[in-house]
Amino acid sequence: MSDWSHKLLKWYEINKREMPWRGIGDPYKIWLSEVILQQTRVNQGWNYYNRFTEKYPTVTKLAAASEHDVLKLWQGLGYYSRARNMHHAAKEIATKHKGKFPADYESIRALKGVGDYTAAAISSIAYNLPYPVVDGNVLRVYSRVLGISTPIDSNEGKKKIWEAAGELLPDKNPGTYNQAIMELGSLCCTPKNPNCEECPIQAACYAFTHKLTDKLPIKTGKTKVRERYLNYVVITCGTKVLIRHRQGKDIWKGMYDFACIETEKAVSTEKLVKSKEWKELFATTKPVIEQVSEAYTHILSHQKLNANFIQIKISKPLKTVPEGCIWIEKKKIDKYALPRLIDNYISKYF
Ligand code: SF4
């Protein structure tokens, strides 16, 4: 164990935040917390963790739930493939592993949606197995402490840090060490203005010694963002509204939104009503535009969604509804699993 590891562990014992998934040793709940906390702040994730553990206290209970119920409980957290994969993996555990959470790294890593990071976190925290966890916090801390200038968002940079993390991982209590280094990244070695004065490993830190804390880590920032223009057509008829069950490989699979005309760039409502798609949709009925929402921007990891919602009233149902669409009672829309963008619109306009 390196000299500074002792200091780090001591700091962790005193400074660690109390969280419901800490110190429990239950691999299912540790897994749940890890999946929830990917791309989610602790405060927000906490509520979701409590809701899930209350409704599904065991992995077999989660496996027995319907995908819709799992997505509904997940609603608002985003990155819905996490919930679908977790549900799928729970079913795998219920059948292939007879309801017992696997206890070795390879079997954990083989579960759907479980990558190197999550497998290492569960293995080390629940079973004390010696696997280093490398998340965004750990990449940043090691890049600074060890003075690694290879971009941390490149495969080469990740590999370098992952190897270093493996060498530095102590044999004793690797799970606690993994949590300590992540906690240091969250509380002390933050992306901007790290609190080096309070840092337990300041003396060993390359970036601090060389005044490079604002230069490291380096990122190439090559993530490509796809920009999309979604013109939602919210069709109501009496007390009913038409919603769409999303399928296929696109975002929000399994969740619900509305019929949509996607365009290459932003278009005005005047232009949209002249489009082929609009004319096809309303070929047999006369639409009355009741309302056009403000423009919404919604950011996903690799997509920027520009959306607006055109609320339409029709007096008789469409002859044929677009693929995946169903009529539901408008007041029951809250029962459906809705992406945050749709939920935001409904809260304001419904
Ligand atoms: S000294 Fe500063 S830069 Fe170095 S690990 Fe600590 S907080 Fe991060």
Side-chain angles (χ1 to χ4, degrees), residues 140-142 144-145 184 188-190 193-209 212-213 216:
R140 183 172 62 255
V141 173
Y142 277 133
R144 286 175 174 161
V145 175
L184 187 77
C188 206
C189 194
T190 46
N193 305 321
N195 187 3
C196 302
E197 293 314 314
E198 307 274 322
C199 179
I201 57 174
Q202 184 205 81
C205 178
Y206 181 93
F208 179 78
T209 317
L212 288 171
T213 53
L216 289 175

Side-chain angles (χ1 to χ4, degrees), residues 3 24 27 69 73 85 110 139 151 168 217 251 298 313 315 346:
D3 187 35
I24 51 173
D69 286 353
L73 205 57
N85 288 340
L139 287 169
L168 288 163
I251 52 171
H298 191 71
K313 194 166 88 177
S315 47
I346 285 169

Side-chain angles (χ1 to χ4, degrees), residues 276-289:
K276 189 170 131 256
E277 291 87 346
W278 182 281
K279 285 179 184 158
E280 271 172 20
L281 189 56
F282 299 111
T284 56
T285 184
K286 195 171 161 9
V288 177
I289 297 179

Side-chain angles (χ1 to χ4, degrees), residues 48-342:
Y48 281 87
Y49 173 85
N50 286 340
R51 277 186 229 170
F52 266 84
T53 49
E54 239 167 65
K55 191 159 183 195
Y56 308 121
T58 62
V59 70
T60 40
K61 288 247 160 57
L62 177 63
S66 71
E67 183 180 275
H68 178 266
D69 286 353
V70 174
L71 286 172
K72 186 67 194 158
L73 205 57
W74 194 270
Q75 184 173 309
L77 258 187
Y79 302 93
Y80 296 93
S81 57
R82 288 183 292 171
R84 283 195 305 273
N85 288 340
M86 190 174 75
H87 184 228
H88 188 282
K91 286 182 172 173
E92 267 178 85
I93 295 170
T95 50
K96 203 167 143 197
H97 300 283
K98 302 193 170 45
K100 200 169 168 346
F101 206 96
D104 64 280
Y105 179 88
E106 280 72 26
S107 308
I108 297 170
R109 177 70 178 80
L111 296 170
K112 187 149 190 195
V114 173
D116 293 336
Y117 163 79
T118 310
I122 301 167
S123 304
S124 65
I125 300 169
Y127 300 113
N128 239 340
L129 295 169
Y131 290 91
V133 295
V134 180
D135 68 348
N137 281 324
V138 177
L139 287 169
R140 183 172 62 255
V141 173
Y142 277 133
S143 163
R144 286 175 174 161
V145 175
L146 305 173
I148 293 174
S149 55
T150 317
I152 57 163
D153 53 354
S154 68
N155 287 340
E156 196 194 342
K158 282 182 189 148
K159 187 165 175 266
K160 239 184 204 174
I161 291 178
W162 186 79
E163 282 168 3
E167 279 166 28
L168 288 163
L169 190 71
D171 301 331
K172 210 175 147 204
N173 295 331
T176 310
Y177 178 89
N178 279 335
Q179 291 178 87
I181 197 108
M182 287 192 279
E183 195 74 334
L184 187 77
S186 290
L187 298 182
C188 206
C189 194
T190 46
K192 283 192 184 136
N193 305 321
N195 187 3
C196 302
E197 293 314 314
E198 307 274 322
C199 179
I201 57 174
Q202 184 205 81
C205 178
Y206 181 93
F208 179 78
T209 317
H210 295 83
K211 297 194 172 24
L212 288 171
T213 53
D214 59 338
K215 302 274 184 309
L216 289 175
I218 288 170
K219 284 188 180 181
T220 56
K222 270 193 197 141
T223 314
K224 262 203 168 166
V225 176
R226 176 181 165 209
E227 194 148 1
R228 297 174 72 173
Y229 299 89
L230 307 176
N231 306 283
Y232 277 112
V233 188
V234 185
I235 308 170
T236 61
C237 183
T239 57
K240 301 208 173 219
V241 61
L242 191 72
I243 60 168
R244 175 175 65 160
H245 193 203
R246 295 187 63 93
Q247 293 298 337
K249 287 207 170 125
D250 204 354
I251 52 171
W252 303 331
K253 187 178 166 202
M255 305 192 78
Y256 291 82
D257 60 358
F258 301 106
C260 181
I261 300 175
E262 186 165 355
T263 46
E264 293 286 316
K265 50 186 182 180
V267 292
S268 64
T269 308
E270 291 73 31
K271 205 163 174 195
L272 197 73
V273 299
K274 291 186 186 135
S275 69
K276 189 170 131 256
E277 291 87 346
W278 182 281
K279 285 179 184 158
E280 271 172 20
L281 189 56
F282 299 111
T284 56
T285 184
K286 195 171 161 9
V288 177
I289 297 179
E290 288 198 305
Q291 199 176 61
V292 179
S293 78
E294 71 205 76
Y296 284 78
T297 304
H298 191 71
I299 307 288
L300 302 173
S301 57
H302 295 96
Q303 296 192 25
K304 180 180 173 197
L305 307 181
N306 302 284
N308 61 15
F309 297 81
I310 303 162
Q311 198 164 316
I312 306 282
K313 194 166 88 177
I314 53 173
S315 47
K316 52 175 185 172
L318 303 167
K319 200 168 179 192
T320 48
V321 295
E323 204 186 334
C325 286
I326 50 166
W327 289 103
I328 62 153
E329 283 298 325
K330 202 173 160 187
K331 61 177 187 232
K332 289 199 175 154
I333 196 157
D334 275 346
K335 302 251 176 288
Y336 292 81
L338 307 168
R340 187 191 294 262
L341 170 67
I342 305 299

